[in-house]
């Protein structure tokens, strides 16, 4: 089970990371050096399909890569706190005689830097720090450090960014770079290997696709013989056997028009694009998607996966023929696959169980509502919007909102008019 690891870093950091990776024969390394942070997306994109994970030499290259939105595998970066920072401060103090309060820092949070100095037994605290989230321009960091140095407030700058170090050197500012230590890199690599092992285990988890198919809708009219019925079912079985082989799984019948395919989680995630779409059954196997309702169950055992598959099928049937839902081993439900209104909700939330006891609404309904609000990015919604997301009638959605309002969980905050002659729609703000 080899790990294909992509490593992106500045020249000096990359050398340290590569030396650490060499100690792991199970890792195949793809090293990529960058000289400017803005080049990282172009360096990264051609290799997206070549690695299982990405390791970055620091926070900024990691943030630059994440902003592309193209990475679909686990990522990590090497932290600059701990031994990396201690080595730099030791050099400043013992070899140059510069105190911590005479130095400007960047990258770290005030909390982690203060905690580190306290643990290191350094009495004087820091005075100058520029913390940032995500990516930042090297020139912005250089401006921060240079201004303090020119004003005589500092004697040196400590930066975590290679390009900021180069810019400060160009400006004549005394600068010291915090580079990763081999021990720090080894710690991150061990974490990545554990993650890789866990993901491999997840990929081999059992998955069950429980499908209901109505092959008789394809028969012309309402007058057909039992032979035609049987031929339609045989043809469906032949198509599903090819689909099961494609999934590297096995097929069994579970009653008239109901079929069960046993396969693995990894294969299901592959054919559904990580639970986002429905497999192209018609193009590949000649099965009309509108005739298929499917529930996918993931479990630690075949029994658990089958139970989850049945539950997922019930959720799919609630939304009508042609819908696919997924029930994962963490008790969360996803779906419908391939639809814009796709949501995810859970069964095991203690908070929602308490709200369910307070209201007449089920945990499932409340969980769906919570997921819809999270997906919309706001707490306000009207009955028609709720009905559209939940695939229920507007009057049913109104009953849900009125029930929440009666218990103080929702309040009317305004009205909307869909058109000049239509009835205004109440807008509710919900606080779960």
């Amino acid at each position: 089970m080899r790990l294909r690891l992509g490593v992106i870093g500045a020249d000096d950091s990359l050398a340290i990371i590569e030396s650490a990776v060499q100690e792991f024969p199970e890792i195949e390394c793809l090293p990529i050096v960058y000289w400017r942070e803005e080049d990282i997306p172009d360096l990264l994109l051609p290799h997206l399909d070549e690695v299982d994970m990405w390791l970055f030499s620091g926070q900024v290259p990691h943030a630059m890569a994440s902003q592309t939105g193209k990475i679909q595998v686990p990522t990590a970066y090497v932290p600059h706190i701990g031994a990396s920072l201690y080595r730099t401060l030791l050099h400043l103090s013992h070899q140059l005689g510069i105190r911590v309060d005479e130095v400007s820092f960047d990258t770290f949070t005030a909390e982690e830097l203060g905690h580190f100095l306290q643990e290191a037994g350094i009495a004087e605290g820091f005075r100058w720090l520029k913390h940032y989230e995500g990516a930042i321009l090297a020139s912005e960091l250089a401006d921060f450090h240079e201004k303090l140095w020119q004003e005589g407030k500092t004697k040196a700058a400590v930066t975590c960014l290679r390009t900021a170090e180069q810019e400060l050197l160009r400006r004549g500012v005394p600068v010291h770079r915090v580079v990763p230590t081999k021990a720090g890199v080894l710690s991150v690599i061990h974490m990545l290997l554990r993650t890789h092992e866990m993901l491999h285990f997840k990929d081999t988890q059992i998955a069950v696709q429980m499908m209901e198919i109505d092959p008789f809708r394809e028969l012309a009219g309402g007058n057909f013989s039992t032979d035609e019925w049987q031929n339609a079912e045989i043809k469906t079985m032949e198509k599903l056997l090819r689909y099961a082989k494609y999934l590297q799984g096995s097929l069994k019948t579970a009653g008239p028009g109901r079929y069960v395919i046993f396969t693995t989680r990894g294969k299901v995630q592959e054919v559904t694009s990580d639970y986002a779409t429905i497999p192209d059954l018609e193009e590949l196997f000649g099965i009309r998607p509108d005739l298929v309702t499917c529930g996918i169950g993931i479990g630690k055992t075949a029994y658990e996966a089958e139970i989850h598959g049945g539950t997922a099928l019930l959720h799919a049937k609630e939304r009508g023929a042609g819908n696919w839902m997924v029930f994962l081993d963490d008790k969360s439900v996803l779906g419908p696959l391939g639809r814009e209104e796709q949501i995810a909700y859970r069964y095991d939330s203690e908070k929602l169980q308490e709200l369910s006891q307070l209201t007449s609404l089920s945990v499932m309904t409340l969980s769906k509502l919570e997921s819809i609000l999270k997906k919309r990015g706001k707490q306000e919604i009207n009955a028609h919007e709720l009905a559209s997301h939940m695939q229920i009638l507007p009057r049913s959605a109104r009953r849900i909102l009125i029930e929440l309002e009666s218990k103080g969980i929702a309040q009317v905050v305004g009205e909307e008019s869909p058109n000049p002659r239509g009835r205004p729609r109440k807008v509710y703000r919900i606080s779960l």
Side-chain angles (χ1 to χ4, degrees), residues 284-300:
L284 297 174
F285 309 102
I287 303 172
R288 279 175 47 187
D290 60 311
L291 303 181
V292 181
T293 307
C294 179
I296 299 174
I298 309 295
K300 299 179 181 67

Side-chain angles (χ1 to χ4, degrees), residues 8 37-45 48 53-78 133-136:
I8 295 183
E37 283 76 21
E38 52 265 39
D39 295 336
I40 289 173
D42 292 334
L43 293 169
L44 173 88
L45 294 178
L48 289 180
M53 295 181 177
W54 287 99
L55 175 60
F56 298 89
S57 61
Q59 173 183 322
V60 171
H62 179 266
M64 293 292 292
S66 300
Q67 286 174 4
T68 66
K70 301 291 185 181
I71 300 179
Q72 302 298 320
V73 297
T75 63
Y77 65 86
V78 181
E133 299 287 346
I136 193 170

Side-chain angles (χ1 to χ4, degrees), residues 72-88:
Q72 302 298 320
V73 297
T75 63
Y77 65 86
V78 181
H80 290 84
I81 203 76
S84 302
L85 179 57
Y86 189 76
R87 182 174 59 187
T88 303

Side-chain angles (χ1 to χ4, degrees), residues 293-295 311-321 323-325:
T293 307
C294 179
T311 305
L313 180 61
L314 291 176
H315 284 277
K317 289 173 68 175
E318 284 181 0
R319 293 176 172 266
N323 282 290
W324 291 47
M325 300 290 290

